[in-house]
Amino acid sequence: MSASDTPVSMPAAPDTTRRSPWGEVLHSLLRSGTFLTGLGIVVFWVVCALFGEHLVPYDPLADDVINALAPPSAEHWFGTDQIGRDVFSRVIVGSRDILTVAPLATILATIAGTALGLVIGYFRGIVDDVISRVLEAFMAIPVVIIALLAIVALGTSKVTVIVVIGLSFAPIIARTVRSAVLAERELDYVAAAKLRHEGAMHTMFVEILPNVIPPILVETTVRLGYAIFAVATLSFMGFGIQPPSPDWGLSISSNYGMIGGGFWWTVLFDALAIALLVIGVNLAADGLHGAFND
């Protein structure tokens, strides 16, 4: 066979199926049973929060003393409370307040914590030492104590609860972001930005921030679960969402004294709703963590 008859090997076709990093994350999430289960639970409660009043059989605020403390039945699936309000309707509609306050508090915590974490991680030195010691002292105080002090001083309102919980969780997120920034600031692209004489703000928020989004997303999801518990706890103690809201924590606070009389349904379903929502958020957080670490 002559040289001219030798088969010519064709260059390999480019791999057009290669996904972007975020595409890989999305693909992992869509294959994650843990994430999809958690997302399904959260979406269920979000739908209840948005459209609950159109889904329930009774007005959650309407009392019916004649049917007070009726046990679960075909007419009242979850029974009625001590003034005859339908527990099922209150559980469904009660998701609205907690799914308004907790996510807003978490968003505030993420914004403040990310900004702090970028600053102390990027500058290090005296800035890191001073701010980190202040944050550690702040984190040593339980969130509920901080919230109670602030609410007593400022008054009870949803805005106060959002701000207090958000600022209480900000140091925890800041610590996570700081750790991620410390690893990123030593990489070549940060050195290149400095050689281009980019300012610190540009380097932190344009160069570094996009590369630390994964741990921020995971930490934010985890904090949302804690924020739900914090809001419910404050409502239970009478310092959070106020009557006549069907808020879960407030409903438990109003009815837990009835358990001794055998009227368990006035508390059980609200407690299960809180637990189910937190489980859903935690499952979603686990799924996110797994997707980013695949």
Side-chain angles (χ1 to χ4, degrees):
M1 180 181 294
S2 64
S4 60
D5 295 328
T6 303
V8 178
S9 59
M10 300 296 293
D15 183 6
T16 57
T17 63
R18 185 181 181 86
R19 300 184 183 92
S20 66
W22 284 104
E24 291 287 351
V25 170
L26 179 59
H27 182 66
S28 296
L29 290 177
L30 293 177
R31 292 185 304 164
S32 171
T34 300
F35 175 79
L36 293 177
T37 301
L39 181 64
I41 294 172
V42 173
V43 168
F44 168 78
W45 285 117
V46 169
V47 171
C48 291
L50 293 175
F51 308 108
E53 290 180 349
H54 304 289
L55 301 175
V56 296
Y58 299 97
D59 181 348
L61 302 180
D63 58 71
D64 182 8
V65 180
I66 296 177
N67 290 314
L69 297 174
S73 63
E75 184 179 1
H76 297 283
W77 295 349
F78 291 177
T80 62
D81 65 9
Q82 56 188 322
I83 58 175
R85 295 174 298 192
D86 183 63
V87 174
F88 174 76
S89 299
R90 290 178 64 79
V91 169
I92 296 299
V93 178
S95 59
R96 178 174 303 167
D97 285 324
I98 204 165
L99 280 175
T100 300
V101 175
L104 288 176
T106 305
I107 290 171
L108 175 60
T110 301
I111 294 172
T114 298
L116 274 174
L118 284 168
V119 170
I120 60 181
Y122 180 77
F123 288 106
R124 299 183 65 181
I126 187 66
V127 174
D128 186 7
D129 291 339
V130 172
I131 298 180
S132 292
R133 298 298 84 74
V134 173
L135 295 180
E136 288 171 3
F138 196 73
M139 287 188 294
I141 306 174
V143 173
V144 173
I145 300 299
I146 297 173
L148 290 178
L149 292 174
I151 290 171
V152 169
L154 302 175
T156 301
S157 71
K158 289 183 181 179
V159 174
T160 303
V161 174
I162 290 169
V163 172
V164 169
I165 294 177
L167 295 182
S168 298
F169 287 159
I172 302 173
I173 296 178
R175 185 173 60 181
T176 300
V177 176
R178 171 187 175 274
S179 298
V181 172
L182 287 176
E184 292 291 326
R185 72 186 300 276
E186 305 299 331
L187 299 181
D188 292 342
Y189 74 90
V190 176
K194 292 178 180 179
L195 289 174
R196 297 194 306 267
H197 302 290
E198 300 286 1
M201 295 295 288
H202 179 277
T203 304
M204 286 188 292
F205 289 94
V206 177
E207 302 288 345
I208 297 177
L209 178 58
N211 293 290
V212 296
I213 290 294
I216 293 175
L217 288 178
V218 174
E219 187 65 36
T220 297
T221 311
V222 172
R223 288 308 120 199
L224 176 58
Y226 283 98
I228 291 168
F229 266 132
V231 173
T233 300
L234 290 174
S235 296
F236 177 81
M237 298 176 68
F239 292 96
I241 299 166
Q242 297 297 302
S245 168
D247 172 74
W248 297 333
L250 184 60
S251 294
I252 294 174
S253 176
S254 301
N255 294 289
Y256 80 96
M258 310 300 296
I259 296 177
F263 305 109
W264 50 267
W265 58 87
T266 59
V267 173
L268 175 64
F269 297 108
D270 291 287
L272 288 177
I274 295 172
L276 184 61
L277 179 56
V278 173
I279 289 171
V281 171
N282 287 340
L283 287 174
D286 287 344
L288 277 173
H289 184 268
F292 285 127
N293 287 277
D294 279 349

